[in-house]
Amino acid sequence: MKGYFGSVRFFKNLILLVIIVAIAVPTVIAFNNGSQVKQAVAHAAELDALLLEMQKKDAMVQSREVIEEAQSEMEEEEPEEQQKLEQSPSEINYQTLYPDFYAPQPLQADTISEKTIYLTFDDGPSERTDEVLAILAEKNVKATFFVVGKEDEASLARMKAIVDAGHTIGMHSYSHKYAQIYESVENYLDDMYQLFVLIKEETGVTPTVFRLPGGSINAYNSAVYQEIIAEMLRRGFVPYDWNLSSEDAASNGPTSIQIISNVTSRAAKVSRGIVLMHDSVTHTATVGALAETVDQLKEMGYSFAALTPEVRPMLFSYTS
Ligand SMILES: [Zn+2]
């Protein structure tokens, strides 16, 4: 051993030991520091995320406050108007009823219909339908039939005959019971949907035009007519009142001569006329007036057409 201390080998080993210590100590220190750094980085990331979260929450609170402030200002200014605007369509339950009760959409609305007469027949089909169809065929005139819900074989055959002859079949109502259908929008839709399905199944045609029984505003529907029309429009159906009443449903039972005169005298004042007539078993005077009415209107320079969704809708004025 004595020879070892102070020997060349001793110094070699000493140097080696020093080198090992010199490498190992900083490595251990660095390793410890490294994990601390890693921990610190992880901790900082957590803090960052937390800070971000807090900033987001703060921003949300702030923007919510801004919105609430704006809303309260708006409500103060126009409370009723604002409530209407805020009501999302999904909040109206009846809008989700009958999801297949929608009209196919026309590509564009017709802009020219000057000097055009649209003959319309309400309440059919009836025992008079065949006679009306024969006269229209003879005069080569297309018209519109706003039908009601009748499911006997003869009525179904007449609905089909209307469509086959190239006329428009429109919806009037299934039951035609004013008190019932104008009780609520839901009642109205329930009734009209029945008719919609019946027409589709029996004729293969999807009806797109409609007329409210009694016209779009009457003594029975003042509480619901706006909602009904808005909902039907939303579903793509086009409403038609009339501006030329033949008065053929007047209680005094007008003659054919009176009916002709009612239509032609009123037609002279309009460029676009939607004529109201009726198709029911009692309306023999209407059938009697039809051919002559058409002839006189043709002499006045009018042409005839059936209503389609491309024809601009006609609604009574609600200003009074
Ligand atoms: Zn009617």
Side-chain angles (χ1 to χ4, degrees), residues 31-51:
F31 181 78
N32 281 338
N33 282 351
S35 61
Q36 274 172 8
V37 166
K38 275 180 198 161
Q39 277 176 6
V41 166
H43 193 59
E46 274 171 27
L47 278 173
D48 256 7
L50 200 65
L51 196 67

Side-chain angles (χ1 to χ4, degrees), residues 35-91:
S35 61
Q36 274 172 8
V37 166
K38 275 180 198 161
Q39 277 176 6
V41 166
H43 193 59
E46 274 171 27
L47 278 173
D48 256 7
L50 200 65
L51 196 67
L52 198 67
E53 200 64 27
M54 283 167 73
Q55 281 171 344
K56 272 187 197 166
K57 277 181 186 165
D58 197 37
M60 276 167 68
V61 167
Q62 277 179 2
S63 57
R64 200 179 300 139
E65 277 168 6
V66 169
I67 289 166
E68 277 167 7
E69 209 172 299
Q71 277 176 343
S72 67
E73 273 173 26
M74 282 175 178
E75 276 162 19
E76 276 166 28
E77 283 167 22
E78 293 175 293
E80 279 178 31
E81 207 66 21
Q82 189 55 27
Q83 273 167 16
K84 270 184 203 166
L85 287 172
E86 276 175 5
Q87 190 176 40
S88 116
S90 61
E91 285 173 312

Side-chain angles (χ1 to χ4, degrees), residues 113-118 243 267-273 302 312:
S113 46
E114 300 303 301
K115 277 285 188 184
T116 305
I117 292 287
Y118 304 92
N243 62 346
K269 298 168 193 158
V270 300
S271 64
R272 189 174 83 111
Y302 288 101
R312 277 175 287 150

Side-chain angles (χ1 to χ4, degrees), residues 27-292:
T27 304
V28 169
I29 290 167
F31 181 78
N32 281 338
N33 282 351
S35 61
Q36 274 172 8
V37 166
K38 275 180 198 161
Q39 277 176 6
V41 166
H43 193 59
E46 274 171 27
L47 278 173
D48 256 7
L50 200 65
L51 196 67
L52 198 67
E53 200 64 27
M54 283 167 73
Q55 281 171 344
K56 272 187 197 166
K57 277 181 186 165
D58 197 37
M60 276 167 68
V61 167
Q62 277 179 2
S63 57
R64 200 179 300 139
E65 277 168 6
V66 169
I67 289 166
E68 277 167 7
E69 209 172 299
Q71 277 176 343
S72 67
E73 273 173 26
M74 282 175 178
E75 276 162 19
E76 276 166 28
E77 283 167 22
E78 293 175 293
E80 279 178 31
E81 207 66 21
Q82 189 55 27
Q83 273 167 16
K84 270 184 203 166
L85 287 172
E86 276 175 5
Q87 190 176 40
S88 116
S90 61
E91 285 173 312
I92 306 171
N93 290 334
Y94 59 66
Q95 291 188 333
T96 60
L97 296 173
Y98 319 117
D100 58 332
F101 186 31
Y102 282 83
Q105 296 302 294
L107 290 175
Q108 57 180 50
D110 178 25
T111 48
I112 2 152
S113 46
E114 300 303 301
K115 277 285 188 184
T116 305
I117 292 287
Y118 304 92
L119 296 176
T120 68
F121 297 89
D122 285 10
D123 305 346
S126 79
E127 287 82 346
R128 300 277 82 80
T129 306
D130 301 344
E131 295 158 63
V132 171
L133 287 175
I135 296 164
L136 293 175
E138 190 196 316
K139 298 291 175 190
N140 194 26
V141 161
K142 298 291 182 239
T144 303
F145 292 77
F146 290 109
V147 300
V148 297
K150 292 180 183 172
E151 303 207 26
D152 61 285
E153 240 173 73
S155 297
L156 297 179
R158 285 174 183 132
M159 279 186 4
K160 191 95 176 64
I162 289 168
V163 169
D164 289 346
H167 304 294
T168 292
I169 191 157
M171 298 181 286
H172 194 35
S173 78
Y174 189 93
S175 69
H176 209 271
K177 290 177 182 161
Y178 288 34
Q180 184 186 309
I181 63 174
Y182 294 137
E183 174 78 31
S184 66
V185 183
E186 286 81 358
N187 276 19
Y188 180 85
L189 292 176
D190 185 62
D191 179 280
M192 286 294 264
Y193 182 59
Q194 271 188 74
L195 181 64
F196 176 79
V197 171
L198 178 68
I199 293 171
K200 260 177 82 166
E201 283 179 356
E202 293 304 322
T203 70
V205 166
T206 301
T208 52
V209 301
F210 74 105
R211 172 174 289 156
L212 287 91
S216 61
I217 179 160
N218 55 63
Y220 293 82
N221 71 1
S222 56
V224 290
Y225 77 95
Q226 285 172 320
E227 260 190 277
I228 286 172
I229 291 163
E231 177 58 9
M232 289 297 278
L233 286 171
R234 192 190 69 79
R235 289 174 184 261
F237 299 103
V238 187
Y240 295 95
D241 281 324
W242 58 88
N243 62 346
L244 299 178
S245 175
S246 70
E247 305 280 352
D248 67 344
S251 53
N252 62 355
T255 63
S256 293
I257 304 280
Q258 285 168 323
I259 291 170
I260 296 164
S261 163
N262 287 339
V263 176
T264 55
S265 64
R266 287 167 186 174
K269 298 168 193 158
V270 300
S271 64
R272 189 174 83 111
I274 298 186
V275 179
L276 170 67
M277 290 178 161
H278 289 83
D279 170 15
S280 83
V281 64
T282 57
H283 282 87
T284 50
T286 306
V287 175
L290 187 55
E292 182 61 23

